[in-house]
Every structure is written in structure tokens, then in C-alpha cells.
Amino acid sequence: MCGLAGYIGSEPPDADARARTLRSMAHRGPDGSGQRVIALSDSTVVLLHTRLAIIDPDPRSAQPFEADGCVLVFNGEIYNYLEIRDALIALGHSFRTHSDTEVLLQAYLAWGEAALDRLEGMWAFALLDPRDGGRLLLSRDRFGEKPLHLHRCSHGLYFASEIKQLAALTGEGFTVNAEKVHRFLAHGYRALFRDQTCFFQDVTAFPAGQVAWITQSGVGEPKPYWTPKFSPVAMTAGEAAEGAAVEIDRAIRIRLRSDVPLAISLSGGIDSNVLAGIAVHRHGQQLHTFSMLEADRDYDESAAIRAAATALGTPHHETRVSSDGFLDRLARMSLAYDGPVPSLGMYLDGFLSEAVAQAGYKVLINGNGADEIFAGYYDHYLFWLAGQAERADFDDLIAEWQASFGQHVRNPLLRNPRAFIDHPGQRGHVHLNAPQVADYLIAPVAGDFEEASYCPDLLRNRMLNELLRESVPVLTWAHDSHYMAHSIENRGAYLDRGLVDFMLTVPSQHLIQDGYSKALLRQAGEGIVPQEILKLKKKLGFNAPIASLLDRRAQDVRDRLLADSALWDIVDRDSVARLLHPETDSQGMDNFLFCLTSARLFFETSVDPR
């Protein structure tokens, strides 16, 4: 896990710009830095790298890394590097390190661009192949766990892990993308990754799951090297459970590979407990668990978390949510994000990143992606019911829902078990507050919620939208931002190509069973996760009410948020002042109130004059 930056073109950044850029990404790689400047026939390539040493920490694995004239800078982990290394040795390749970096470069030398199909991991990399005049290969992992930002100009292309590093390398200050901020406030975080725009103009994100060749004479268009597709195969529930268990175990096992100690993020829910249970009880992993606790009764998971920690028998750390310094902490996080912190849950996870850093850990594994892969959200159950409407036992299925998830649904649009039978195209539950939010924005709220079409199955189409466009891309961006700010590598246990490919062959009927969502994940946890957690019929996860953090009674809080700002070109300040008044009923506006506060502090730190 590292930081990278670079350039290809006719006017390369000078030594001062390169040094400035390396300093700006020291938090991503405090264990070393390196640079290469390579002259090609018609251009110059600059490659910069800072290292967070996880696999083979020896200096022999430092980057930029070179073999047979090709030079690589790489951010991420290739989890199946041992298997690929063995395959390459069988082909006659030799190695001088034990790193996944060298395996990645040797895989390219053996198979070219086709090597990407063999890789399981998370990555962003730039690989210079000087042959045939010289080309630069850029790629990003399938789920966007590792970031890569681009800035094109008349004389070349700049790239970097973070936008602040692009600014350091170019010597330019980028202008805020007001339309992106407006979209965030109007539609929430789900709309952020429908395109490759960023919160600053003239910067784009290299798309996840794609690859591109770059030369001085032209910027090659990224193209996908993996396209997930729902293709169900006839199988029994038992076959689905057995196949899922094998893939889950493999995905977790290879993510435990590390030459430094590991930590796991532990909530009271299914995802992290299956992860931790498999790691500890099946693979004998020595690790510490970290949890965040909220005092509010509706969000308190402490009983489930402590039961889980006791069952694991591993050293356990708990961090409590505090309202102290909320605005200052959120402002610092916006600097790490190069944008607003997208949700309250992601802000809360920042507490965990600080606790993990203070304990001295460099790697944290979490349960990212489980809801989107195994069907864990409240609306998933109703989409599933719509797909089972022709079953003879459909009334029994509704009764099971009423006795499980149906008891805990807060969103009024999801309290009707026939919601997507009667209105299969409605998605108002995704942006429930959109009509009220429009009252606070100066420009009209443009367009309704858009859902990409991946397949005709309602449930699986919703899940693929969340996996590829909505939830997971934002989660991976958030976790990279606030964990790497503390020099911590964050691994998503379930964001695994083989696991996702298998789950897309499972008929939808097997995803929910006997009133339980994420049935296949629960079954994978049998015998290693406490029954009181496996049998939970309420969705748990780190969360808290905004009222526990934002004190609207405090005049200094309201004054800071309402101070002069360019944000008021987008948002109506008078309306916000009324919303922030302590006697205003803000029920149902928690998400918008957080997004508004987050956007305001992003402007305070990155846009407004000081």
C-alpha cells in the first residue's frame, strides 16, 4: 500500500515539483520513497512512489521497481501473488524479492495486459514499457479500492493517488467543481460515481476495473478487463451454500497474507463476524479487533460486539463516538478526501482509523461489499419478494419478512412488502429527502434517480448498481482516504473477483432463506460465529444520529457553519440558518444535515479564502 504519482509528456515537472509531490504523499508511504525520470524517443516519463511496506518490507522491494527495462510504481496488494509466483517460476522466471510488486511486473512480462485477468487484489499502477518507442500502462482494480486521478493538459498527462498530489506535481491549484457539490447535496453519495468527475475541475478518476495505454502521441481510452454479469445456473440451496463457503474462505484466506500484524474492524453484524471467525478459528490468524461504540440506544451494538470479541478470544479495542471537536475532525477529514466526507457512517469510521493507528497497526481488514454481494439491505428483501411473487408459498414469505426485517424498517416507502410488485420501477426510497432538499439549493435539483441496466432481475440489477456505481465505489474511496491519512492499508474481505463471479451464478431465490437476508454468508459462519449474531434479523453496523455530534444549540457551531463562503452560491444560506436553529424540527433530515455540514467544511478547508 503506497502512494504514486507521475507524468508522461514533453514538459516534465522539475526536481522541486517532484520533491514537493513526494512530501505531499508521505502519509501514504512513510517507509520510503523513490523516483525515476526516463527519457523516451518523443517524451519523458516521471514515476514517483512512497512506500508503506506490508509484503517483503526489505528495501530490495522498494519502488520504482525495474525488471527487463520495464519500470513499475504500484499502490495496493496482489493477494494471490504466491500462486502467480509459482506459475511464473514454472515458466522459467526467477525472482530477487519476495514481494507482490515483483510478481506483478513479472506477470506483465510473461502475459502482457492479459496478466490483469489473473490478478486478485486491489491496485492502481503505472507501468512503463520502453519497447516500441515507449508506452505507459495504467490500471485500477475491479472494485476501485485504490484511487488513481488524472489531469490532462496540452503537453502531457499527470496522474496521482490523490488530487493534492496532482496539485503539488503541476504547481496548480484546481478550482472546485460546484456541479459535483450540488449533485452530492441533492442526491447524496449514491450519485457521486456515475461518471469520472471529481470535486475539482480538470481532474478525473481513472475508472475502476479498466486499463489504458498512454503515449505522448495520444491518451488511450480506458477499456474494461472484467465485466461482471448475472448468469444464474441451476443449483440447489445446499450447492449454493457450499460453493459460497468455499469462495468466502478463499477470499479471506488470501487477504490474511502480510509480513506485518493485522487488525480487523469488528461490528455487531454478520459481515465482520464471519470474516473474523474464519480468520481466527479456521486459519489461526493472530490479530486484534477494533470496534466503534455509540451511546444512543438505537445504534448501540456493544452487547453484540462484546459477545463476538469474547467468542474470538483475541485482544479487543473499543473506541467511543465523541461529539468533541466534531467540526474540526470533519474538516481534517475533508482534506484527506479532497472533497466532502460523503456520509455520517464514513465519518464515524474515521474514529476507528485513529484508534488503529494509535495501536501501531498498518493493515486493517473489513467486511466491505457483503451487503451488495449477498443481499443485505432492507430494500433487497422487498426486491427479492417481488422476484418470488409467483411462488405458491408467497403469503408465507411475506409473513417471514414481517417477523424479521419488516419489524425494523424505518423508511416509509419500504414498509409495504409489495412495494416493488406494485411499482417495480420506483426508487424514491433511495433519495427519500430529495423533495425537501430542493428547498435548500439555489439551482434546481436536476433529474430523477438513475439506475443503470445490468440485467432484468430487479434484485440483482439493484445489487450490481450498488456494487459498481453507488455504494461500494464510495466506500472504497472513503476507506482509502481516511485510513491512508493515518498510513493504514484497508482491505475489503469480500471484494473478490472469484467470490463475486460465483455469486452471480447463484439463483436469486437462494439469497434470502427462512426470513434471513445474506443467508449464504450466515451459513458460511456456522460453527465459528455466535448464534445470537448469526440469527440477528436487524441490520447492524457503525452508525449514530447526527444530533449526537452536531450541537445546534451552540452559537459558535452555527456561526462557523453560516460564515461567508462560496458554498452560498450553491446553497441558500437563510434556509440553512433556519434548519440549524435549535428549535427547528429536523426529523428525517439527518443525512442532508450531515452532507450540508460536510460540504461547508470542505469549502472552508479547500475553497474559501483564508
Side-chain angles (χ1 to χ4, degrees):
M1 189 63 60
C2 307
L4 65 86
Y7 170 84
I8 180 171
S10 59
E11 300 178 21
D14 62 21
D16 287 343
R18 299 196 302 270
R20 184 171 62 236
T21 304
L22 288 171
R23 289 194 299 272
S24 77
M25 59 186 185
H27 59 281
R28 298 190 67 91
D31 298 329
S33 65
Q35 59 180 295
R36 287 288 304 277
V37 179
I38 305 109
L40 302 176
S41 59
D42 61 354
S43 61
T44 300
V45 171
V46 173
L47 297 175
L48 307 175
H49 189 265
T50 58
R51 187 183 186 199
L52 182 65
I54 305 296
I55 302 293
D56 191 11
D58 192 276
R60 66 192 172 192
S61 296
Q63 301 180 45
F65 194 91
E66 183 172 356
D68 290 353
C70 293
V71 186
L72 171 70
V73 286
F74 159 53
N75 168 31
E77 298 288 353
I78 307 302
Y79 300 124
N80 64 339
Y81 76 102
L82 295 178
E83 291 81 0
I84 294 176
R85 179 189 173 100
D86 287 344
L88 289 167
I89 289 173
L91 293 176
H93 289 250
S94 60
F95 291 83
R96 65 179 190 267
T97 77
H98 297 290
S99 69
D100 57 335
T101 301
E102 185 176 14
V103 169
L104 171 57
L105 186 48
Q106 293 283 3
Y108 168 77
L109 292 170
W111 301 304
E113 183 184 321
L116 294 172
D117 190 55
R118 299 171 181 254
L119 303 181
E120 180 54 57
M122 55 178 179
W123 67 79
F125 69 74
L127 192 161
L128 174 65
D129 188 336
R131 297 170 292 188
D132 300 324
R135 297 189 300 170
L136 193 67
L137 182 67
L138 300 182
S139 179
R140 197 164 168 229
D141 66 78
R142 297 174 180 88
F143 304 102
E145 292 187 79
K146 294 296 101 193
L148 185 61
H149 297 92
L150 309 178
H151 170 66
R152 293 180 173 90
C153 62
S154 60
H155 57 78
L157 174 75
Y158 295 88
F159 53 90
S161 297
E162 300 175 12
I163 297 174
K164 62 180 67 68
Q165 288 134 34
L166 283 179
L169 195 58
T170 62
E172 299 177 9
F174 297 110
T175 303
V176 68
N177 184 343
E179 190 279 331
K180 187 87 168 182
V181 177
H182 183 273
R183 188 194 313 173
F184 168 60
L185 293 172
H187 296 295
Y189 67 79
R190 288 179 182 266
L192 289 179
F193 288 91
R194 291 181 191 163
D195 57 33
Q196 305 307 319
T197 60
C198 298
F199 281 105
F200 290 93
Q201 294 179 11
D202 302 319
V203 177
T204 58
F206 190 91
Q210 299 199 25
V211 62
W213 283 103
I214 314 296
T215 67
Q216 169 61 20
S217 58
V219 176
E221 286 301 314
K223 60 182 180 180
Y225 56 83
W226 176 70
T227 303
K229 182 180 179 181
F230 179 50
S231 302
V233 174
M235 65 179 75
T236 66
E239 290 168 337
E242 181 179 356
V246 169
E247 293 295 335
I248 291 166
D249 185 87
R250 178 197 52 76
I252 291 172
R253 174 177 54 80
I254 63 176
R255 281 162 177 78
L256 299 175
R257 291 171 172 172
S258 172
D259 291 330
V260 299
L262 300 173
I264 284 183
S265 170
L266 185 69
S267 74
I270 304 298
D271 313 343
S272 63
N273 275 281
V274 172
L275 160 61
I278 289 175
V280 171
H281 297 307
R282 290 192 184 154
H283 297 292
Q285 184 68 45
Q286 300 296 315
L287 51 80
H288 285 214
T289 54
F290 289 79
S291 301
M292 188 274 299
L293 304 181
E294 162 59 34
D296 187 283
R297 185 176 62 182
D298 289 341
Y299 297 91
D300 183 16
E301 300 181 83
S302 57
I305 287 171
R306 286 164 185 164
T310 299
L312 289 168
T314 55
H316 181 61
H317 307 258
E318 294 180 348
T319 300
R320 287 205 168 267
V321 174
S322 171
S323 61
D324 294 343
F326 168 58
L327 297 185
D328 289 337
R329 183 188 299 266
L330 188 57
R332 289 195 303 272
M333 289 182 69
S334 78
L335 288 172
Y337 278 66
D338 291 320
V341 178
S343 78
L344 181 55
M346 295 167 200
Y347 166 80
L348 295 173
D349 200 53
F351 280 89
L352 212 61
S353 67
E354 294 179 12
V356 174
Q358 289 168 5
Y361 280 83
K362 297 167 70 172
V363 181
L364 179 81
I365 309 179
N366 64 36
N368 270 4
D371 287 312
E372 294 80 5
I373 295 168
F374 298 102
Y377 292 126
Y378 286 129
D379 63 342
H380 289 171
Y381 207 129
L382 300 190
F383 283 113
W384 180 83
L385 283 173
Q388 310 302 310
E390 301 302 318
R391 284 173 52 168
D393 61 347
F394 186 66
D395 288 342
D396 294 335
L397 298 181
I398 288 182
E400 287 178 346
W401 171 82
Q402 290 170 333
S404 58
F405 266 27
Q407 298 183 68
H408 306 293
V409 174
R410 297 184 183 185
N411 191 317
L413 296 180
L414 299 180
R415 292 175 185 159
N416 173 13
R418 297 183 58 88
F420 301 114
I421 299 173
D422 299 336
H423 304 285
Q426 77 90 2
R427 299 293 182 269
H429 67 286
V430 178
H431 297 301
L432 185 62
N433 294 330
Q436 299 96 309
V437 166
D439 296 337
Y440 295 89
L441 302 179
I442 292 173
V445 174
D448 296 325
F449 177 70
E450 298 177 1
E451 186 174 72
S453 178
Y454 293 104
C455 66
D457 184 287
L458 281 177
L459 170 60
R460 305 312 275 269
N461 196 62
R462 180 92 288 274
M463 292 167 66
L464 282 167
N465 269 270
E466 292 163 343
L467 182 69
L468 302 175
R469 298 177 81 229
E470 296 176 16
S471 307
V472 167
V474 180
L475 282 169
T476 56
W477 168 52
H479 283 130
D480 180 85
S481 296
H482 63 248
Y483 280 99
M484 287 304 292
H486 297 287
S487 306
I488 299 168
E489 173 179 298
N490 189 271
R491 300 178 176 182
Y494 303 109
L495 294 177
D496 180 275
R497 181 261 187 91
L499 174 58
V500 170
D501 281 349
F502 172 78
M503 288 301 298
L504 288 172
T505 69
V506 174
S508 294
Q509 69 191 72
H510 299 320
L511 299 185
I512 294 175
Q513 301 174 30
D514 303 322
Y516 290 101
S517 66
K518 291 192 281 197
L520 300 181
L521 184 60
R522 293 174 192 264
Q523 291 169 36
E526 287 289 348
I528 56 173
V529 176
Q531 283 295 303
E532 60 264 38
I533 293 176
L534 283 182
K535 299 302 182 184
L536 278 172
K537 292 187 175 181
K538 177 181 180 182
K539 180 167 174 54
L540 294 180
F542 298 150
N543 214 334
I546 186 67
S548 70
L549 300 169
L550 181 67
D551 186 0
R552 292 186 296 154
R553 298 166 300 175
Q555 185 66 48
D556 61 326
V557 169
R558 299 200 305 275
D559 287 346
R560 180 172 176 179
L561 294 180
L562 293 169
D564 290 346
S565 171
L567 181 67
W568 309 127
D569 294 334
I570 304 171
V571 181
D572 183 76
R573 179 159 33 176
D574 291 339
S575 297
V576 172
R578 289 190 291 272
L579 179 62
L580 290 175
H581 194 279
E583 296 187 8
T584 298
D585 181 6
S586 62
Q587 185 174 4
M589 296 294 285
D590 271 21
N591 288 339
F592 177 67
L593 192 51
F594 177 82
C595 290
L596 179 67
T597 303
S598 184
R600 175 65 190 86
L601 294 172
F602 165 56
F603 270 67
E604 178 186 278
T605 57
S606 303
V607 181
D608 297 330
R610 300 183 183 181

